[in-house]
Amino acid sequence: MATSFFQRATNTYRYYLGQVTSAAPLAFMRMVFGMLMVFGAVRFVALGWVEEQYIKPIVHFGYTGFEWVGSVGYPGMYIVFALMIASAIGVMLGAWYRASSISFFLLFTYVELIDKTYYLNHYYFVSLVAFLFCLLPAHRVFSVDSLRKRWTLNATVPRWTVDVLKVQICMVYFFAGIAKLQPDWLFNALPLRIWLPAHDSLPLIGWLFALPATAWIFSWMGMVFDISMPFLLWNKRTKWYAYAAVIGFHTVTGLLFQIGVFPLVMIGMTLVFLIPQNFFRTEHRALAGSVKTIQTSAWITPLLTVFFVAQILIPFRFLLYNGDLYWNEEGYRFSWRVMLMEKSGAATFTVTDSMTGTSGIVDNREFLNSHQEKQMSFQPDMVVQYARWLKKHYQELGVKEPVVTADVWVTLNGRPSRLLVNPTTNLAAEEVGWHQYAWVLPNE
Amino acid sequence: MKRARIIRLCTVVLATCTMVMACNPSGTQPTDSYNRKAMLATVADSIVLPGYSALEQTAALLQASVIRFSISPSLSNLNDAKAAWKSTLKQWQHVTLFDFGPAESLYGFASAELGTFPPSPLKIESYIAANDSTLSNYDRDSRGILGMEYLLFHTSPDSIIQEFSAEPARKAYARAVAQRIYSECSRLLSAWIGAYAAQFASNNGTDAGSSTTLLFNALNVSYEALKNYKLALPMGRRAGQTTAQPTKVEAYYSASSVMSLKEHFATIELVWEKGFSGYLNAVTSGSRVATETRDQFVKVKSVLAQLNESENLATLIQQNDPRLESLFVEMQKLTRFLKSEASSVLGISITYSSGDGD
């Protein structure tokens, strides 16, 4: 029995891997993705953020395991962005597609790894999708490559190549949805009850945000929207309504919150559920001799299995730690926890010369930009990273054996401030990593 | 079938465009639950405008008295100039917080041009020695209100009179500094009267760049500057300092540091009370923050009240006066209310001027 079930499953999977679909939708998604990435990167440069975020700061908050990744400064970072934009154009046009997609993935991910201050879930999403595009034959039609090298041209691609994009998008919505299944979001309408009234001056709809009920309705609607979207988008009968909801949801959140290109990215990428097979009428073009079967490499299945299983497990890693996830943030990132809390802090660091006993406070603005200071002031790992940097800095200035302590007052969802880290701990002697942070005080 | 799809796609696109246009903030009168426009207008009309107006007047008096003193360096003329200078310093404390809008120019901030301290005697004396009174440089510590203080107060009245009598270059330099102070103050006043006050009040959103956010950040930056540079630094309480540096107090030569500290703090409290306190009472969890913040303001004020304006802050620092330690401690406690608690419940902390959130 068991064997036959296994065999049937294997056969079904083999059959699935062998299925093909029109190459047009995947090529279309390639163009959409490339275009969005060109826009996003050009916007980033135009707003002066390369300078603000990666050139001017003298401190960077690296990720565990990637502390060695640093900014290449000026003009290096501009060269990185120029190459990134060129790669995105390459992806969009399907020109030297493999090289372009791999280089875009590497450059984009490199920039994100420099400083966790600027971590955003949608940057993580972009990195993941960029990785997928490296594997996908998205350049078989409507591409410079297919004109350049005739053999590239192909009317069909394996069906899984489109499906993995759909799965990736479903991951985002589904996990964002279940992250909202928590008491503050559902039963206190927090943080929306804090955020929405600040938008009461928006024309036409502003008055809505001044109503107390709006925050509750938005909280519940947001949760239902996120959880149901994967199912509604995948279902043929509901996908158009789902897409209208996608547009509505992302338009409203885009107007309310400063979330950059994220709404556009989601509105653009969810098109993968809608785009009809014959959208570009590929079958009728000069493709008669170009229907080959693209072989799926044997390593694709294990690779994508690891890729998606990891994404399923990572959001749950917080269960390995004690304490309140929202407070200690151990296991918070890379989990599609989007706009879930209003958290803010004021961190005052004291550097004590352990030889002489003289101590003094640090003006954070001297070393951090406002974005970095804001983020550092409520994230325990960044507090320690900064303390370690301060130790090194004041050692260079001649302070012997600096002990770095901090009063970090953090307010979560409008509740009274509490101390985030033990004010007597020498934070500069602590390490950042995967262990439970002993220096974080409980939120109770 | 295909046509139906295209029609549906078009409908969706059209619906998006309609929504985006409907929500495009242009022209229509916003409806408000809390009237931020009124709050901003109150701050502009009752604090900023009277503040700059008074500053412009005292700066004009200062310039006139410096000119008179330079023409005839007598003790009474020196005393007039000193009195005018002291009123200018006082009025400056009432507006130094508003370091945005007109105060932000291509060459930097008004707080730097007018309020840099401590002044550098070395630079001032070398400009005078070189007979260079153009002030066309970035040495902010060679001019401004505290640079003027050095010129009028750095030694005994007799010696000052002697210096001014003997050195035409010093006269020219003092006049140039007074002229620059006046023109800067007058420029700021006209800019606020001209268009900025109205623009300030009508930019009443809560995004980065809105007046509420600008004012909130300016209040915090100013408070931190007060605490860190007017108090902690001369006390030797900044990281890396090994000793107190009492000569680094603001207004060291005239020993008006206590007055300056009090006036600056009073302005911060005034902006808080007339601006953010009422706003806080209108939002979720806000009244708690408003009450706790006011309690902490009261504590800081009660310590400040123990300091007399006739006392010399530099001397108090040298003597390790315990009142300063408690002032520092209480001011430190106020930080979290101003910095994180208020911005958090007002919903203005999620906006960044350089980057997105999610």
Side-chain angles (χ1 to χ4, degrees), chain A residues 39 50 78 92 97 100 118 187 191 195 205 229 235 270 275 298 322 328 341-342 345 404 415 436:
Chain A
F39 174 73
V50 177
Y78 280 107
M92 182 174 77
Y97 174 73
S100 298
Y118 314 111
F187 306 125
W195 289 341
I205 51 171
M229 227 11 71
N235 186 313
T270 38
I275 180 87
N322 296 323
N328 60 34
M341 57 180 180
E342 166 57 42
V404 183
R415 298 199 175 84
Q436 180 95 40

Side-chain angles (χ1 to χ4, degrees), chain A residues 14-37:
Chain A
R14 283 223 184 95
Y15 172 73
Y16 170 74
L17 275 190
Q19 279 194 310
V20 293
T21 183
S22 161
L26 188 61
F28 176 76
M29 291 318 297
R30 181 204 80 217
M31 291 188 237
V32 170
F33 182 68
M35 211 153 30
L36 287 167
M37 293 306 110

Side-chain angles (χ1 to χ4, degrees), chain B residues 45-108:
Chain B
D45 295 341
S46 69
I47 309 175
V48 184
L49 289 171
Y52 276 126
S53 163
L55 177 63
E56 194 242 16
Q57 283 171 27
T58 56
L61 280 177
L62 174 64
Q63 191 187 3
S65 61
V66 166
I67 290 172
R68 240 180 294 125
F69 176 60
S70 69
I71 292 167
S72 102
S74 68
L75 185 61
S76 78
N77 281 343
L78 175 60
N79 286 337
D80 284 354
K82 282 181 168 182
W85 175 83
K86 209 162 173 178
S87 325
T88 306
L89 177 71
K90 184 174 181 174
Q91 295 306 331
W92 166 242
Q93 303 305 328
H94 299 165
V95 292
T96 175
L97 187 158
F98 306 107
D99 215 16
F100 52 82
E104 190 180 355
S105 75
L106 209 57
Y107 305 106

Side-chain angles (χ1 to χ4, degrees), chain A residues 179-197 212 214-220 326 338-343 411-415, chain B residues 283-286 344-345:
Chain A
K180 291 182 172 70
L181 298 175
Q182 45 104 2
D184 252 6
W185 183 273
L186 297 175
F187 306 125
N188 292 322
L190 284 168
L192 289 185
R193 208 142 53 90
I194 292 172
W195 289 341
L196 292 185
T214 308
W216 297 85
I217 295 168
F218 270 48
S219 293
W220 282 81
Y326 288 59
V338 189
M339 307 214 77
L340 275 183
M341 57 180 180
E342 166 57 42
K343 199 176 180 190
T411 163
L412 182 54
N413 282 348
R415 298 199 175 84
Chain B
V283 304
T284 308
S285 310
S344 202
V345 296

Side-chain angles (χ1 to χ4, degrees), chain A residues 13-74:
Chain A
Y13 184 66
R14 283 223 184 95
Y15 172 73
Y16 170 74
L17 275 190
Q19 279 194 310
V20 293
T21 183
S22 161
L26 188 61
F28 176 76
M29 291 318 297
R30 181 204 80 217
M31 291 188 237
V32 170
F33 182 68
M35 211 153 30
L36 287 167
M37 293 306 110
V38 173
F39 174 73
V42 169
R43 169 180 178 266
F44 199 93
V45 175
L47 289 170
W49 292 353
V50 177
E51 187 87 15
E52 285 297 321
Q53 301 188 0
Y54 296 112
I55 294 172
K56 276 192 193 161
I58 51 176
V59 188
H60 283 298
F61 295 87
Y63 288 91
T64 301
F66 293 93
E67 291 88 351
W68 50 273
V69 177
S71 162
V72 286
Y74 179 86

